[in-house]
Amino acid sequence: MERTTERLVARAADLGFDLAGVAAAGPAPGAERLRTWLAAGMHGTMGSMARTADLRADPRTVLPGCRSVVVVAMSYHTNRPASREALAGNPGTVWISRYAWGRDYHRVLKKRLVRLGRWLATEASGSDWRAFVDTGPVLEREWAERAGLGWIGKNGCLINRRLGSELFLGVLLTTAALEPTPPATDHCGRCTACLDACPADAFPRPGVVDARRCIAALTVEHRGPIAPELRPAIGRTVAGCDVCQEVCPWNRRAPADRHPEFAPAPHRYLPALETLEALDEEGWREWRRGSPLGRIPFESLERNLAIARENLERERGEAGASPR
Ligand code: SF4
């Protein structure tokens, strides 16, 4: 169905997706790597990764009769300064990751993906489909690489040569047999900027992220206390972490602000630590409303704020102690 793939990619562009591609369904690329990663315990407390490993290993277990995997992407890249620079210039503020500045990408992408699925079910009459944005049992980045949207960089993110790596991904599993689009090739070369910049040393090998150390995983997904030796590396980051993407040369020239949905809500860009500390549970729910920060329960927010406070006080102490 070569024509259908072409039309699908065009339809995805009409729906506002920046990228779209197709891979033939079968054993998932990266399934073995996932098993090795899980066996090493690098998923930390993200038990759902282990529980869904069998489903992730083959999309045909998720959608019986699945023959194609459609992957789409939308950019959330902006030209705002890098986190370390922004925090250094704004004492007393904290960092909320770029992906969470705008509207909840799960909703934005899912709505469009459902429309794409319905369109495809008409084009390939009788075909069945299921749509996932981030939370489904699908290896999105690996399928995105196979479908040619980009390559998985040494920082574990999907990188597109034109758009960089600040991309939200969505996957449509379909029983329609579509012509695949060519897979992507790797363009990291000899660069190691992300590996060198990670404040928490979370990359035991290029392309392998140890979620037990990754600041994004710790602040967003991890429940419970964070080990004292990791707390200084978190700095004043309260949700997510952007460092390994901010240093990536492929994000330097990426076009910015492509989608108004993901434009920064002013209160989520560099908020004052004190503003967040003053929130109660209801206040936090209101503050994060409409954003993807629903994955951070109030207890995790309190934990993250306490770490940011510790680190801010230490910074202040060091600044006070430095010779003039
Ligand atoms: S910073 Fe360099 S090594 Fe890391 S993902 Fe980007 S290009 Fe690849």
Side-chain angles (χ1 to χ4, degrees):
M1 282 200 186
E2 197 168 342
R3 272 298 286 139
T4 309
T5 294
E6 266 175 41
R7 286 163 52 76
L8 174 96
V9 171
R11 180 71 187 136
D14 289 346
L15 286 168
F17 291 116
D18 293 312
L19 303 167
V22 175
E32 252 335 285
R33 267 169 44 124
L34 172 66
R35 288 194 198 290
T36 309
W37 185 75
L38 289 168
M42 287 197 215
H43 57 301
T45 53
M46 292 193 290
S48 68
M49 292 299 290
R51 284 194 296 278
T52 57
D54 289 344
L55 291 171
R56 287 173 195 268
D58 195 324
R60 294 169 299 184
T61 59
V62 179
L63 177 69
C66 178
R67 297 177 77 184
S68 308
V69 181
V70 178
V71 191
V72 294
M74 286 178 82
S75 159
Y76 62 93
H77 183 67
T78 76
N79 281 331
R80 301 269 171 136
S83 50
R84 289 191 282 199
E85 201 182 303
L87 286 166
N90 292 278
T93 61
V94 293
W95 189 252
I96 302 289
S97 184
R98 295 166 182 277
Y99 81 90
W101 289 348
R103 279 179 50 201
D104 187 350
Y105 64 93
H106 300 95
R107 290 184 186 199
V108 174
L109 270 79
K110 186 73 175 276
K111 209 166 156 189
R112 294 169 194 218
L113 209 44
V114 165
R115 289 178 67 188
L116 190 63
R118 288 190 183 134
W119 174 87
L120 185 58
T122 316
E123 284 286 305
S125 182
S127 61
D128 196 5
W129 57 274
R130 283 189 74 181
F132 298 100
V133 179
D134 201 21
T135 51
V138 183
L139 291 172
E140 289 176 323
R141 277 171 300 182
E142 286 76 2
W143 285 111
E145 186 174 61
R146 175 74 61 87
L149 273 64
W151 75 99
I152 299 175
K154 291 176 191 171
N155 60 5
C157 298
L158 186 90
I159 308 173
N160 176 271
R161 291 184 79 170
R162 184 170 58 91
L163 297 176
S165 68
E166 290 175 326
L167 298 169
F168 295 128
L169 301 178
V171 165
L172 194 67
L173 304 181
T174 171
T175 55
L178 303 169
E179 182 68 20
T181 43
T185 48
D186 191 310
H187 297 278
C188 277
R190 286 192 295 190
C191 174
T192 57
C194 54
L195 311 181
D196 302 337
C198 178
D201 227 350
F203 299 105
R205 287 187 299 288
V208 178
V209 182
D210 187 340
R212 295 168 299 186
R213 300 189 68 87
C214 171
I215 293 170
L218 287 171
T219 54
V220 178
E221 307 291 347
H222 175 70
R223 305 287 174 259
I226 292 176
E229 65 272 19
L230 290 170
R231 294 164 77 107
I234 294 172
R236 283 187 271 140
T237 295
V238 165
C241 176
D242 295 298
V243 173
C244 68
Q245 298 195 78
E246 289 171 343
V247 298
C248 179
W250 291 100
N251 284 327
R252 262 180 230 145
R253 278 189 295 272
D257 306 320
R258 293 178 63 80
H259 304 286
E261 296 90 332
F262 305 133
H267 70 291
R268 287 200 285 271
Y269 177 68
L270 280 181
L273 175 57
E274 284 176 5
T275 304
L276 292 181
E277 285 174 330
L279 298 175
D280 59 11
E281 192 161 359
E282 179 51 35
W284 169 235
R285 216 173 292 133
E286 197 49 46
W287 195 88
R288 73 181 193 208
R289 188 182 298 284
S291 81
L293 292 168
R295 288 168 88 113
I296 304 187
F298 187 62
E299 299 69 39
S300 297
L301 173 75
E302 287 185 307
R303 176 201 60 196
N304 298 349
L305 292 174
I307 294 172
R309 170 61 64 188
E310 272 167 37
N311 291 328
L312 177 63
E313 298 303 337
R314 202 188 46 255
E315 280 174 35
R316 283 177 174 158
E318 284 166 5
S322 61
R324 288 170 190 272

